[in-house]
Amino acid sequence: MRLTCPLCGDRDSREFSYLGSATLSDRPADDAPFDAWHEYVHLRDNPAGPNAELWHHVSGCSAWLHVVRDTRNHQVLSIRLAEEGA
Amino acid sequence: MRYSGWQVIAKGLRGQRGWQPAWRDPAPKLAYQVIIIGAGGHGLATAYYLAKNHGITDVAVLERGWLGGGNVGRNTTIVRANYHLDGNTEFYSHSLKLWEGLEQELNYNVMMSQRGIINLAHSDGQMDFYARRGNAMRMQGDDAELLDRDRVRRAYPGLNHDNPRFPILGGLRQRRAGTARHDAVAWGFARGADRRGVDLVQNCEVTGFRIERGRVTGVETTRGFIGAGKVGMAVAGRTSQVAQMAGLRLPIESHVLQAFVTEGLKPVLPGVVTFGMGHFYISQSDKGGLVYGGDLDFYNSYAARGNLPMIEHVHEAGMALMPMLGRARMLRHWGGIMDMSMDGSPIIDRTPIDGLYLNGGWCYGGFKATPASGWCFAHLIATDRPSPHAMRLRLDRFETGHVLDEEGTGAQPNKH
Ligand SMILES: Cc1cc2nc3c(=O)[nH]c(=O)nc-3n(C[C@H](O)[C@H](O)[C@H](O)COP(=O)(O)OP(=O)(O)OC[C@H]3O[C@@H](n4cnc5c(N)ncnc54)[C@H](O)[C@@H]3O)c2cc1C
Ligand SMILES: [Zn+2]
């Protein structure tokens, strides 16, 4: 599998480290209700199909990337910098 | 037909004629008292113990593919009870005891071989931790021995004991651990359940639930609607999808785990060895093949095959531990989809929907759990109360903070 970093170009997946679902960048407020925190920390859609997720280009430019990837065949559908927001 | 040594000889002398199919191939009925989704090890064991322990025989196991084609037929077959947290220790202890009597129980040769496991230690900290873990195992009533450097060296001369980065300082041994023939476990439970009247229905995918006023009344399938008083999910890597059809969102991610086997070799490994520093584990099958595996591919996956970087990584770890591996030819490798829970421990519990039960989150280690998982899930479905062996494998433990974080890696399924 290869990922095309918007800053560095087409790179081997070994340069990246995987965090998980892109919902992890929607951190609830510190005083958000307990349920919101439970959902954020523990619950996942875990789709068989397109999944929005966070990858870190650790061995490259160090940027956090928002990647939409099909979990059935690892086809990458879109990639952008995570800092660009939802 | 009861299997016996005599049958093998008698049928052998008659050209192997006269064997009958080990189970029927029934069409689904209109309704059942209990439906189990998934004919993997856990679904089949659940059906068996529903019939055996609770006298519930109006049961169907629905399987989208073929019986035993999921993870139960894809794992590295390691069976052990060397956990250290309350909640896990009693469950896996019960499972190992069931394994020890499984062949007589099922009248089926599951090739359970108690050849022992050694978890290798490479630092003083790890030795201390293994002492603690061994004590937890003994408190539970299971066997554990802390081995020093020389005893590991004598037991496994073929390892690289003096690796400069990870020299082997000792290890934790459980002699009652070992390996079993994975397919035979599925087939043995299937035959046992079938003989007690359970319908095993293959090529029958569950595509939805019928839920009325908060209670499940049946399942939609590719072979039509089938009514049910109670429904148990035991679908391993597909747990999130199946639960989602009932509107549930779970603390689970699906990841691929790969495994490997070499050509047959003369005996080099008497038992199972785990090399935690490389997350590498290896044993030798009865045919002589070295069977080994390592980490997940580390990103969500439903592709039942792995990618090349992890193949390289696993072999690097294998070469660090056992350089002779480099001389063996790898014959096959494959992957299975694991239901990775957020704390690395399984769930056997009711769901918020009446009559719908959840068995999942088995991560890397559900094969060894097969008999106890079936035993406890059957108890839960039959009585609506958790089995005493599985009191803490609750779905709400994430909300309440009673997580079973055996590996200390927290809410990161790709770190377990
Ligand atoms: C490579 C690898 C190595 C492993 N090594 C070990 C090990 O050494 N020791 C250990 O203890 N564990 C190990 N495991 C884990 C263990 O194999 C699993 O945790 C365990 O097999 C899961 O339970 P199961 O047998 O019921 O799953 P499965 O055999 O996967 O059964 C689930 C079944 O549900 C069916 N299903 C899914 N969706 C539907 C649907 N909608 N309708 C109908 N049926 C459906 C599937 O087709 C499948 O047959 C390993 C796993 C893998 C992949
Ligand atoms: Zn980059």
Side-chain angles (χ1 to χ4, degrees), chain A residues 1 12-14 18-21 23-24 34-35 38-39 41-49 51 53 55 69 71-74, chain B residues 237-238 240-241 244 249-255 298-303 305 307 309 312 342 398-400 403 411-412 414-415:
Chain A
M1 183 165 85
D12 188 298
S13 66
R14 275 173 285 194
Y18 179 72
L19 183 65
S21 165
T23 55
L24 290 168
F34 184 80
D35 281 355
H38 166 57
E39 273 199 31
V41 176
H42 297 126
L43 303 187
R44 299 287 184 269
D45 288 338
N46 192 22
N51 190 33
E53 46 200 35
W55 290 77
R69 181 181 58 96
T71 56
R72 292 166 303 183
N73 52 25
H74 310 311
Chain B
R238 293 275 159 182
S240 294
Q241 260 91 57
Q244 194 190 35
R249 195 160 174 254
L250 299 177
I252 287 176
E253 281 184 10
S254 296
H255 289 254
F298 283 139
Y299 37 85
N300 291 38
S301 175
Y302 286 92
R305 59 181 159 75
N307 278 331
E312 189 174 30
M342 286 289 158
F398 302 91
E399 265 165 280
T400 59
V403 289
Q412 280 286 62
N414 50 327
K415 298 280 188 299

Side-chain angles (χ1 to χ4, degrees), chain B residues 157-180:
Chain B
L159 306 181
N160 182 1
H161 292 263
D162 304 310
N163 181 315
R165 179 78 174 85
F166 297 118
I168 297 173
L169 298 186
L172 182 64
R173 170 191 266 169
Q174 181 171 53
R175 289 185 190 266
R176 287 165 60 231
T179 56

Side-chain angles (χ1 to χ4, degrees), chain B residues 31 61 67 76 125 150 173 214 253 260 266 283 336 354 377 380 392 397 399 402:
Chain B
V61 183
L67 184 163
T76 42
D150 292 336
R173 170 191 266 169
E253 281 184 10
F260 310 84
K266 294 220 167 117
S283 65
D354 286 336
F377 201 37
L380 177 75
R392 301 196 196 200
R397 68 175 185 266
E399 265 165 280
H402 295 88

Side-chain angles (χ1 to χ4, degrees), chain B residues 57-136:
Chain B
T57 55
D58 184 22
V59 177
V61 183
L62 308 182
E63 167 57 49
R64 76 203 278 253
W66 70 97
L67 184 163
N71 287 349
V72 71
R74 293 165 183 263
N75 60 74
T76 42
T77 78
I78 302 168
V79 172
R80 57 187 172 89
N82 57 359
Y83 286 70
H84 75 277
L85 292 184
D86 287 351
N88 281 334
T89 50
E90 67 262 31
F91 174 77
Y92 290 104
S93 176
H94 181 56
S95 204
L96 186 53
K97 287 182 197 120
L98 291 175
W99 277 108
E100 288 176 324
L102 202 57
E103 290 165 345
Q104 288 69 24
E105 170 78 31
L106 297 176
N107 176 229
Y108 204 91
N109 185 4
V110 301
M111 296 169 71
M112 174 64 185
S113 163
Q114 292 180 292
R115 52 185 70 183
I117 191 169
I118 295 185
N119 308 121
L120 299 173
H122 312 274
S123 68
D124 292 341
Q126 245 186 327
M127 282 301 277
D128 288 349
F129 172 67
Y130 282 155
R132 179 181 161 222
R133 202 210 275 201
N135 285 335

Side-chain angles (χ1 to χ4, degrees), chain A residues 1-70:
Chain A
M1 183 165 85
R2 294 174 76 79
L3 295 174
T4 307
C5 173
L7 303 177
C8 313
D10 190 25
R11 293 303 174 98
D12 188 298
S13 66
R14 275 173 285 194
E15 289 188 9
F16 300 83
S17 132
Y18 179 72
L19 183 65
S21 165
T23 55
L24 290 168
S25 55
D26 304 327
R27 192 182 162 90
D30 288 355
D31 57 355
F34 184 80
D35 281 355
W37 275 102
H38 166 57
E39 273 199 31
Y40 170 76
V41 176
H42 297 126
L43 303 187
R44 299 287 184 269
D45 288 338
N46 192 22
N51 190 33
E53 46 200 35
L54 294 173
W55 290 77
H56 188 199
H57 198 180
V58 246
S59 309
C61 61
S62 253
W64 278 98
L65 306 179
H66 180 285
V67 178
V68 179
R69 181 181 58 96
D70 190 324

